[in-house]
């Protein structure tokens, strides 16, 4: 968490510098790189704020399943904002392709190089984080190392920023030494696609959680598989499953059975799947003919 916060502040500071420099020096490549960095700074920032809010409201009885969805709602809001940013970048880049304007390459290139240096330092900070905590249960097929996954996600975002910085440098150098000023707004369009693609993915993932669209998740079939392994005849009458945390689910299961079965036995059978943190079981006992 400490390293992620450090990278967040580094990324946010460089984002401000690149957006300001891109505006002053008239470079879409710098603006694209800055706005692309903003997408990742927002992601890291939302996680940090959500963590603080979750701690503050941890004992608030209004939250039936905890405060994790604060982070999800924050991510969704950030994604909506970023879609607007992508639209702005695309319109501005196309405008500059149609109506070229002078770019101050000598000032813009050092700023782009500085952006690359910041990304390399950020990647180094994240790559030296502790990723050695694994908690796989015997006989269970799912790893649940959420800290490691979050750290890896942040690392990949920073690497993507570094690639964008390299493209910005290449566009500016090409414009200065080859006279290909069109490379700068083209780089703006590339940035538009990167930010738009990332924002759309975030909208899709957070929207799925907020709308409880989880019935196609692999854990649903795994629950049915557990039921098939119970004393027969036992059938699923109703099944509802939704996410209440990172990789954690609540489940309501209604079963019809003619076997000598109780709810505790069903919960014990389902306990092999540690994703299921809150299970409600309803049993309808029928007399075998």
């Amino acid at each position: 968490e400490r390293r992620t916060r450090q990278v967040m502040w580094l990324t946010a500071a460089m984002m401000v510098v690149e957006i300001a420099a891109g505006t002053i020096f008239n470079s879409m490549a710098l603006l694209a790189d800055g706005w692309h960095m903003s997408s990742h700074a927002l992601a890291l920032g939302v996680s940090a704020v959500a963590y603080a809010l979750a701690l503050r409201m941890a004992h608030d009885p209004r939250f039936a399943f905890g405060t994790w969805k604060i982070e999800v709602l924050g991510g969704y809001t950030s994604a909506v904002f970023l879609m607007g940013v992508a639209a702005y970048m695309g319109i501005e880049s196309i405008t500059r392709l149609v109506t070229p304007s002078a770019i101050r390459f000598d000032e813009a290139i050092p700023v782009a190089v500085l952006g690359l240096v910041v990304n390399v330092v950020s990647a180094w900070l994240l790559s030296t984080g502790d990723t050695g905590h694994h908690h796989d249960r015997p006989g269970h097929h799912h790893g649940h190392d959420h800290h490691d996954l979050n750290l890896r996600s942040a690392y990949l975002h920073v690497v993507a920023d570094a690639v964008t910085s390299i493209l910005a440098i290449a566009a500016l150098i090409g414009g200065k030494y080859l006279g290909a000023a069109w490379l700068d707004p083209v780089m703006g369009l590339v940035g538009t696609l990167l930010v738009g693609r990332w924002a759309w993915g975030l909208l899709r993932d957070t929207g799925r959680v907020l709308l409880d669209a989880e019935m196609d998740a692999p854990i649903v079939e795994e629950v049915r598989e557990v039921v098939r392994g119970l004393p027969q005849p036992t059938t699923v009458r109703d099944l509802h499953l939704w996410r209440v945390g990172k990789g954690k689910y609540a489940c309501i299961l209604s079963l019809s059975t003619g076997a000598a079965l109780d709810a505790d036995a069903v919960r014990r059978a389902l306990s092999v799947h540690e994703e299921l943190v809150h299970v409600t079981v309803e049993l309808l006992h029928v007399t075998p003919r």
Side-chain angles (χ1 to χ4, degrees), residues 123-234:
W124 175 78
L125 280 171
L126 292 175
S127 67
T128 56
D130 181 13
T131 60
H133 302 288
H134 297 278
H135 305 287
D136 292 340
R137 293 175 60 175
H140 192 256
H141 301 295
H142 301 278
H144 297 283
D145 185 358
H146 298 302
H147 174 67
D148 179 62
L149 290 175
N150 290 333
L151 193 65
R152 181 184 177 190
S153 175
Y155 176 77
L156 291 176
H157 284 321
V158 170
V159 170
D161 281 334
V163 172
T164 310
S165 294
I166 292 171
L167 290 174
I169 293 169
L172 290 168
I173 289 176
K176 176 178 173 62
Y177 294 105
L178 303 177
W182 55 268
L183 285 172
D184 185 79
V186 166
M187 177 54 207
L189 289 174
V190 172
T192 298
L193 293 175
L194 287 172
V195 174
R197 181 175 179 272
W198 190 82
W200 175 253
L202 186 59
L203 273 175
R204 182 190 62 232
D205 294 342
T206 54
R208 177 188 177 95
V209 174
L210 293 173
L211 294 173
D212 294 323
E214 302 289 349
M215 292 306 292
D216 60 345
I219 186 63
V220 174
E221 180 55 32
E222 291 169 358
V223 169
R224 294 183 182 277
E225 183 180 338
V226 168
V227 172
R228 286 193 288 269
L230 294 173
Q232 296 301 313
T234 300

Side-chain angles (χ1 to χ4, degrees), residues 17-268:
V17 170
E18 286 200 316
I19 291 175
T23 302
I24 294 169
F25 304 142
N26 204 30
S27 170
M28 272 310 301
L30 277 183
L31 280 172
D33 196 22
W35 283 116
H36 187 237
M37 291 183 81
S38 77
S39 66
H40 300 155
L42 271 172
L44 295 168
V46 164
S47 294
V49 170
Y51 179 71
L53 286 174
L55 281 177
R56 183 180 301 175
M57 301 179 180
H59 302 292
D60 191 326
R62 293 175 299 172
F63 297 95
F65 293 100
T67 53
W68 172 66
K69 284 191 177 180
I70 291 175
E71 178 182 342
V72 180
L73 181 60
Y76 184 88
T77 305
S78 297
V80 172
F81 169 73
L82 289 170
M83 290 297 285
V85 167
Y88 162 75
M89 288 169 55
I91 293 170
E92 190 68 17
S93 298
I94 292 171
T95 300
R96 296 192 186 197
L97 268 175
V98 175
T99 310
S101 54
I103 302 169
R104 294 162 62 180
F105 292 109
D106 291 335
E107 293 90 346
I109 291 173
V111 176
V113 172
L114 178 60
L116 178 60
V117 171
V118 167
N119 285 320
V120 170
V121 171
S122 297
W124 175 78
L125 280 171
L126 292 175
S127 67
T128 56
D130 181 13
T131 60
H133 302 288
H134 297 278
H135 305 287
D136 292 340
R137 293 175 60 175
H140 192 256
H141 301 295
H142 301 278
H144 297 283
D145 185 358
H146 298 302
H147 174 67
D148 179 62
L149 290 175
N150 290 333
L151 193 65
R152 181 184 177 190
S153 175
Y155 176 77
L156 291 176
H157 284 321
V158 170
V159 170
D161 281 334
V163 172
T164 310
S165 294
I166 292 171
L167 290 174
I169 293 169
L172 290 168
I173 289 176
K176 176 178 173 62
Y177 294 105
L178 303 177
W182 55 268
L183 285 172
D184 185 79
V186 166
M187 177 54 207
L189 289 174
V190 172
T192 298
L193 293 175
L194 287 172
V195 174
R197 181 175 179 272
W198 190 82
W200 175 253
L202 186 59
L203 273 175
R204 182 190 62 232
D205 294 342
T206 54
R208 177 188 177 95
V209 174
L210 293 173
L211 294 173
D212 294 323
E214 302 289 349
M215 292 306 292
D216 60 345
I219 186 63
V220 174
E221 180 55 32
E222 291 169 358
V223 169
R224 294 183 182 277
E225 183 180 338
V226 168
V227 172
R228 286 193 288 269
L230 294 173
Q232 296 301 313
T234 300
T235 58
V236 175
R237 299 175 64 242
D238 200 10
L239 171 61
H240 298 278
L241 185 140
W242 65 100
R243 214 183 315 185
V244 295
K246 294 179 180 178
K248 302 297 182 184
Y249 296 86
C251 175
I252 296 176
L253 179 64
S254 178
L255 300 177
S256 174
T257 181
L261 193 64
D262 59 36
D264 286 337
V266 177
R267 277 191 285 268
R268 283 194 299 271

